[in-house]
């Protein structure tokens, strides 16, 4: 299954160190460019995980 994710699930899962759950459950996760830009800038919890 393929899903398209917005910022909220990525943000919340990154905060608790479980970002891998999306891939484990759904297989392929597509992140739109704007979402990627949002989570990979500044001090967002997912910055170090992407």
């Amino acid at each position: 299954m393929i899903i398209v994710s917005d910022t909220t699930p990525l943000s919340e899962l990154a905060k608790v160190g479980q970002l891998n759950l999306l891939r484990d459950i759904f297989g392929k996760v597509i992140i739109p460019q704007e979402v990627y830009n949002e989570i990979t800038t500044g001090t967002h919890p997912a910055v170090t995980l992407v």
Side-chain angles (χ1 to χ4, degrees), residues 9-48:
L10 299 173
S11 176
E12 298 306 309
L13 288 170
K15 287 178 186 175
V16 295
Q18 296 296 318
L19 195 53
N20 61 316
L21 285 177
L22 287 176
R23 184 191 65 231
D24 293 347
I25 294 170
F26 298 106
K28 186 171 185 177
V29 180
I30 297 173
I31 303 170
Q33 187 64 48
E34 285 299 317
V35 172
Y36 179 83
N37 294 345
E38 186 177 342
I39 64 170
T40 59
T41 58
T43 59
H44 193 282
V47 169
T48 59

